[in-house]
Amino acid sequence: MDEKLTALAEHLAASLPGVVQDCQIRHGQLAVRVPRDGLLEVLSFLRDDPQCRFTVLCDICGVDYPDRPLRFEVVYNLLSMSHNLRIRLMVETDEENPVPSATGLFSVAGWWEREAWDLFGIYFTDHPDLRRILTDYGFDGHPLRKDFPLTGYVELRYDEDQKRVVYEPVKLKQEFRSFDFLSPWEGMDRILPGDEKASAPGEIGSAEQSSKAP
């Protein structure tokens, strides 16, 4: 498999000089980084070239890296059923610079680009219907951004008197608390029942020596 992916990477580099910025083999598929202005050229080549035939666009998703100058990464996952290969395209952008829409090449891209806009706030130029798809039309913000608050900005409820859905500021019944519950990311900072019986590192030897002392 790696030999086929290596040959594909060499074919892309030779056929699209200056457009393919980086190629790496990761988890059984080729990961290719391309610029925004070269995205459609690469997608069209991957779809139509006989040595590629990536005719299935499986997914488009966003990734948020707030510390980067270009905080968003748009990821395109494609499948070639003819050659039994997968490829991943990655494009960097930010809140102001839009990414060309792939709907002209893959009609299914329309749904996923709407999702990326809804959840991350990534713009796509020439999209026929770029509007929210998962959150409500009056939703404030983009919930998959790393800086989006866990409580959100507003909450909605159905008002029986007004006979409609209304938006209100978030009201917490108690102060927001973060529970750890043996989180593998945070770890435990307290002693559980029974742990006090275990010797701390470095104490075993001293305990043995004290027991042998006259």
Side-chain angles (χ1 to χ4, degrees):
M1 179 63 71
D2 286 354
E3 295 179 357
K4 297 174 65 175
L5 294 176
T6 301
L8 176 61
E10 295 174 351
H11 177 60
L12 292 178
S15 303
L16 301 168
V19 181
V20 175
Q21 296 176 330
D22 181 53
C23 289
Q24 295 182 19
I25 298 176
R26 301 176 183 173
H27 307 293
Q29 58 183 286
L30 188 63
V32 181
R33 190 172 298 278
V34 300
R36 286 192 305 270
D37 55 3
L39 172 64
L40 297 185
E41 179 183 357
V42 176
L43 285 175
S44 178
F45 180 84
L46 290 174
R47 185 191 65 177
D48 300 334
D49 184 78
Q51 298 187 43
C52 300
R53 299 297 295 161
F54 288 92
T55 56
V56 180
L57 178 60
C58 300
D59 183 34
I60 300 175
C61 57
V63 188
D64 186 16
Y65 299 97
D67 297 331
R68 294 184 183 180
L70 298 175
R71 65 180 294 179
F72 299 122
E73 195 168 81
V74 187
V75 182
Y76 299 77
N77 294 296
L78 296 100
L79 168 67
S80 173
M81 300 183 68
S82 301
H83 302 288
N84 192 27
L85 292 174
R86 294 182 182 270
I87 192 169
R88 181 189 305 122
L89 297 186
M90 297 170 290
V91 179
E92 292 184 337
T93 189
D94 55 20
E95 301 173 63
E96 299 178 356
N97 294 291
V99 177
S101 174
T103 53
L105 298 172
F106 300 94
S107 59
V108 71
W111 295 94
W112 290 316
E113 289 176 354
R114 284 180 59 185
E115 182 180 5
W117 153 246
D118 189 4
L119 301 182
F120 291 94
I122 301 172
Y123 288 96
F124 294 88
T125 57
D126 300 322
H127 190 286
D129 187 23
L130 191 61
R131 56 191 171 93
R132 293 188 181 274
I133 189 173
L134 295 177
T135 62
D136 189 72
Y137 295 133
F139 190 86
D140 184 13
H142 304 281
L144 285 191
R145 289 187 179 184
K146 297 291 179 61
D147 52 7
F148 188 82
L150 294 178
T151 58
Y153 297 110
V154 296
E155 59 184 3
L156 61 88
R157 64 177 179 84
Y158 181 78
D159 188 278
E160 187 64 34
D161 296 330
Q162 302 182 49
K163 303 298 182 182
R164 66 180 181 86
V165 173
V166 296
Y167 294 88
E168 298 174 338
V170 176
K171 298 177 182 178
L172 299 180
K173 299 300 182 182
Q174 63 180 24
E175 183 180 354
F176 184 79
R177 298 163 64 188
S178 178
F179 298 94
D180 126 355
F181 295 117
L182 296 177
S183 166
W185 295 277
E186 299 176 8
M188 289 292 294
D189 56 0
R190 65 179 185 275
I191 299 177
L192 295 177
D195 286 355
E196 71 278 358
K197 301 177 183 179
S199 300
E203 294 182 357
I204 298 178
S206 60
E208 292 178 350
Q209 292 177 1
S210 61
S211 64
K212 294 179 181 178

